[in-house]
Amino acid sequence: MFFSQAGARTRTWEASPSEHKKWVEVFKACDEDDKGYLSREDFKVAVVMLFGYKPSKIEADSVMSSVNPNTSGILLEEFLNVIRKKREAQLYRNEIRHIFTAFDRHYRGYLTLEDFQKAFKQVAPKLPERIILEVFREVDQDSDGHVSFKDFEYATNYGQNEA
């Protein structure tokens, strides 16, 4: 795929000291009995407090299955790592949304070949027209002549978990 040929984008992000402090405070607030860990339910409450949504059963299962089996829940360091990754993914998705919106000059919620051509002319003016068409066709997963945000996000994430 064209987007993967440029290499996977390395995501590195660290929380600010104030954000880190907030995460620790949320952990402590959710660890009501000062157990030193968060139970499954405590973790769900913490996610609601930090991200404004209740994690699905699958998400909670995934996190809880990754914790040390010798503990009864998720320890502070594990919690901070999980939250950092969630925040990083949230920021990355927002960045992708921002780029998509910049390409979508008519605010239709999808990109046309014309949108792609205009965007590529700005960022890579010497790129041959056939390459732009090739990229558009590759990103337009359902071949409907429109690149949805879902298509765009998939293309930008292609190859991210490799290497």
Side-chain angles (χ1 to χ4, degrees):
M1 179 170 230
F2 178 82
F3 279 88
S4 66
Q5 292 171 357
R9 177 181 181 269
T10 305
R11 296 185 217 166
T12 55
W13 176 84
E14 290 299 321
S16 68
S18 64
E19 201 162 25
H20 186 272
K21 181 181 176 192
K22 178 182 177 184
W23 298 348
V24 171
E25 288 171 358
V26 167
F27 180 91
K28 289 178 180 177
C30 292
D31 180 17
E32 292 177 355
D33 299 329
D34 292 324
K35 305 173 296 284
Y37 63 85
L38 297 183
S39 69
R40 174 189 191 82
E41 291 307 311
D42 296 336
F43 172 73
K44 287 179 172 181
V45 171
V47 170
V48 169
M49 290 173 71
L50 291 170
F51 295 97
Y53 77 93
K54 182 179 175 186
S56 68
K57 180 180 181 343
I58 294 169
E59 182 178 354
D61 285 348
S62 173
V63 169
M64 298 313 285
S65 70
S66 69
V67 300
N68 184 338
N70 297 327
T71 62
S72 299
I74 184 168
L75 301 173
L76 176 60
E77 287 307 312
E78 295 167 325
F79 173 77
L80 293 174
N81 191 40
V82 167
I83 297 304
R84 182 190 58 76
K85 287 178 182 175
K86 288 182 71 53
R87 182 71 174 121
E88 182 178 301
Q90 182 183 51
L91 290 171
Y92 181 71
R93 190 162 201 266
N94 289 346
E95 184 181 334
I96 298 302
R97 173 64 74 181
H98 182 75
I99 293 167
F100 179 85
T101 302
F103 281 21
D104 182 13
R105 294 175 173 212
H106 302 289
Y107 306 105
R108 294 175 293 217
Y110 60 85
L111 305 175
T112 63
L113 177 58
E114 180 184 345
D115 295 327
F116 256 63
Q117 290 166 330
K118 286 180 180 175
F120 275 93
K121 288 296 176 211
Q122 285 185 329
V123 296
K126 296 185 182 194
L127 194 64
E129 194 69 31
R130 67 176 177 72
I131 298 294
I132 297 170
L133 180 58
E134 196 176 305
V135 171
F136 182 82
R137 286 181 177 157
E138 204 166 321
V139 176
D140 180 15
Q141 292 183 338
D142 57 6
S143 301
D144 65 352
H146 298 131
V147 172
S148 66
F149 176 71
K150 184 179 174 184
D151 292 339
F152 189 79
E153 183 179 37
Y154 177 80
T156 57
N157 287 326
Y158 186 82
Q160 287 290 322
N161 295 325
E162 298 171 6

